[in-house]
Amino acid sequence: MNQNKLAKAAKYLCQPGKGILAADESSGTIEKRFKTINLASTETNRRNWRKLLLTTPGISKFISGVIFYDETLRQKIKRDSKIIAGIKADTGAKPLAAFPGETVTEGLDGLHERLAEYGSLGAQFTKWRAVINLGKGLPTDEAIEANAHVLARFAALSQEVGLVPIVEPEILMEGSHTIQAHAAASKKTLLSVFLKLKQFRVYLPGMLLKTNMVASGLAAKRQAKPKEIARATLAVFKTAVPKTVPGIVFLSGGLSPEAATINLNAINRFGSQPWQLSFSYGRALQGEALAIWHGQNQNKAAAQAVFFKRVKSVALARQGRL
Ligand code: 13P
């Protein structure tokens, strides 16, 4: 493992003023997204969509990396070389036997070989998403631990082949829980994840954490304000995330593009922290542009303009400069 190379790439990804575009929707997820605009999920449509995003003029000013899905990495879509490529390495969250309502993410079998191939296809970083559900009696310690374990195995394997792992425990915002409940589940999960990362000898300066902001459930009656979200999120990180992790990149997790932007700004307004606090949004960056594109080439320029505008404001928010 070349630690310097890993640390340099991790730092590159979360450099000030830039963040990551998550465009690694699996076949099932992109089909769901295209359904919202009545578009069939064909290989050509999927390629055209990702190409539209990546060829948006000037976008590399704000985007340091893009996460692809297996198919997209192989499509070799042209992009500015300043945008480095990553790959979703897991094969999805599957029901955890004997634990109704909980999942464990799969994909460890043959992972070493797959990662080596992704490296040869140009990937410089990887991502693995674990999903933690809130609810009555959930999450259980067992679900947290099972996911923390596979995240650590994934991270160690990625570093072994020279790829920067993005370790992503997502404590879902779906539900009607309070911000306090979300904070407690997030803290417990992150503590467990970092314990396992340490046990499995993951080199923390050569990885990034991707996780949720701590917020009220999306269906909760009382919605915490951005400042409250920022305070709760930073308090959890201060207890659970070692200072040697160079950056934390947020997922948008069903927040509107506007809320994802405003909350990120509020978080960065709290001033300098031990980690870079950046973004790795999927829906919050793509949603508005997808609605305008509608699968029609004639809408390409308009969709790119909206995408550019959103990326630019998220990049400003990432510096607390909105
Ligand atoms: P969202 O920003 O749409 O939550 O997606 C980010 C992601 O990559 C989830 O794994």
Side-chain angles (χ1 to χ4, degrees), residues 96 103-105 108 128 130 132 140-153 192 196:
L96 180 64
T103 60
V104 63
T105 301
L108 284 180
W128 183 289
I132 301 295
T140 63
D141 293 350
E142 291 76 11
I144 290 176
E145 203 186 321
N147 279 293
H149 178 264
V150 288
L151 278 167
R153 292 275 318 279
S192 175
K196 286 284 176 233

Side-chain angles (χ1 to χ4, degrees), residues 10-265:
K11 240 175 132 173
Y12 182 88
L13 282 168
C14 61
Q15 64 187 274
K18 291 193 184 188
I20 298 169
L21 167 66
D24 61 329
E25 298 84 2
S26 63
S27 311
T29 304
I30 196 73
E31 194 176 342
K32 258 202 302 203
R33 305 275 185 265
F34 280 0
K35 240 190 194 136
T36 63
I37 55 163
N38 282 322
L39 185 68
S41 180
T42 61
E43 209 237 292
T44 310
N45 285 339
R46 293 192 293 270
R47 173 200 289 272
N48 285 343
W49 174 237
R50 272 67 181 250
K51 194 169 150 202
L52 180 152
L53 296 173
L54 287 166
T55 55
T56 297
I59 210 72
S60 64
K61 222 174 131 194
F62 311 114
I63 298 287
S64 54
V66 57
I67 320 175
F68 289 132
Y69 183 57
D70 185 282
E71 175 190 83
T72 333
L73 182 68
R74 294 176 199 280
Q75 283 172 334
K76 301 237 172 270
I77 294 169
K78 244 178 69 188
R79 61 177 193 280
D80 188 315
S81 61
K82 288 198 283 297
I83 303 177
I84 66 175
I87 181 81
K88 171 184 172 73
D90 65 78
T91 56
K94 306 284 157 59
L96 180 64
F99 288 84
E102 301 198 287
T103 60
V104 63
T105 301
E106 296 189 346
L108 284 180
D109 286 355
L111 184 58
H112 189 273
E113 292 72 24
R114 279 200 292 128
L115 292 178
E117 193 201 357
Y118 289 144
S120 73
L121 289 168
Q124 294 185 51
F125 67 101
T126 55
K127 181 195 102 170
W128 183 289
R129 175 174 176 255
V131 182
I132 301 295
N133 224 334
L134 258 76
K136 216 167 166 232
L138 303 188
T140 63
D141 293 350
E142 291 76 11
I144 290 176
E145 203 186 321
N147 279 293
H149 178 264
V150 288
L151 278 167
R153 292 275 318 279
F154 144 78
L157 276 166
S158 295
Q159 291 189 335
E160 192 174 81
V161 299
L163 304 176
V164 172
I166 298 189
V167 172
E168 182 184 8
E170 174 173 5
I171 297 85
L172 289 182
M173 294 188 202
E174 267 107 38
S176 50
H177 50 262
T178 60
I179 185 170
Q180 288 80 8
H182 201 225
S186 299
K187 182 169 140 189
K188 197 168 183 182
T189 304
L190 292 179
L191 284 169
S192 175
V193 166
F194 280 101
L195 175 64
K196 286 284 176 233
L197 291 172
K198 185 167 173 236
Q199 288 172 341
F200 282 78
R201 303 178 182 173
V202 173
Y203 176 61
L204 299 187
M207 63 156 276
L208 295 177
L209 171 68
K210 172 165 177 168
T211 195
N212 49 281
M213 298 166 177
V214 173
S216 316
L218 294 171
K221 262 200 218 112
R222 187 189 166 271
Q223 288 293 316
K225 303 274 179 302
K227 220 171 174 179
E228 206 180 341
I229 289 172
R231 200 175 289 118
T233 303
L234 290 169
V236 167
F237 291 168
K238 276 182 186 142
T239 331
V241 184
K243 293 191 175 91
T244 46
V245 173
I248 302 170
V249 293
F250 291 103
L251 53 91
S252 57
L255 290 173
S256 69
E258 202 49 32
T261 310
I262 289 170
N263 293 347
L264 182 63
N265 193 56

